[in-house]
Amino acid sequence: MIVPDEIDKMPRLQFNTGIETNIFLSRERDDARYFRHGYCYGEPDHLPYRWDQKDFDETHFVLKGKIHLVVEDAAGRSIVLEAVEGEHIYLPAGYEYTLEATGVAYTFFWTSGPSPKVGVADAADYSRELRALRISETGGL
């Protein structure tokens, strides 16, 4: 069980200027084998964040504000997805996604799966922070 106060205290990983996440369910901290959960926080004027989602599905549930995603397939075709508070977007694997600023601050809950076997390998320092939380909270289990 994790409560909002604990989530707020989790370390944050910056994706780009004005946009960051905290991963509160992970392989590192919780030994989660199949998915990760986190909150993403965006400032009204954040810089774009682009990722290639080759091998995992993801969902975004908007808790506050509005999100704007540009989705591009392998052939270079793109569409725009937008969601506001209370709306949910499913983002399947196999596309490139760009989260762009909307002029409105937002927070959304995201989940992704399956989790890579190596965890948050592309952010080694952040991964170490999560592992340290596991050790301190569980006494090394």
Side-chain angles (χ1 to χ4, degrees), residues 32-138:
R33 294 178 293 162
Y34 301 110
F35 51 81
R36 290 187 277 202
H37 287 170
Y39 283 170
C40 185
Y41 308 91
E43 296 297 322
D45 58 350
H46 72 76
L47 294 179
Y49 174 63
R50 183 178 181 91
W51 70 101
D52 187 358
Q53 195 164 298
K54 294 178 187 171
D55 54 2
F56 61 93
D57 292 342
E58 190 166 86
T59 64
H60 295 175
F61 179 78
V62 181
L63 299 168
K64 180 182 100 176
K66 174 183 175 180
I67 60 175
H68 177 98
L69 285 150
V70 177
V71 183
E72 188 174 316
D73 68 11
R77 296 176 297 224
S78 66
I79 63 166
V80 171
L81 300 174
E82 289 189 333
V84 296
E85 186 174 323
E87 293 182 334
H88 180 261
I89 295 177
Y90 167 62
L91 307 173
Y95 296 88
E96 288 191 11
Y97 295 94
T98 304
L99 194 54
E100 297 181 342
T102 62
V104 176
Y106 59 78
T107 302
F108 64 83
F109 166 72
W110 61 265
T111 188
S112 68
S115 282
K117 290 182 180 177
V118 296
V120 189
D122 54 341
D125 290 340
Y126 187 73
S127 183
R128 279 190 289 278
E129 283 186 77
L130 293 177
R131 280 195 305 274
L133 285 171
R134 178 182 185 160
I135 293 166
S136 67
E137 292 174 5
T138 64

Side-chain angles (χ1 to χ4, degrees), residues 1-7 10 24-25 29-30 37 137:
M1 174 123 133
I2 189 166
V3 297
D5 187 50
E6 289 176 272
I7 294 170
M10 294 292 296
F24 58 85
L25 179 65
R29 180 179 174 268
D30 309 285
H37 287 170
E137 292 174 5

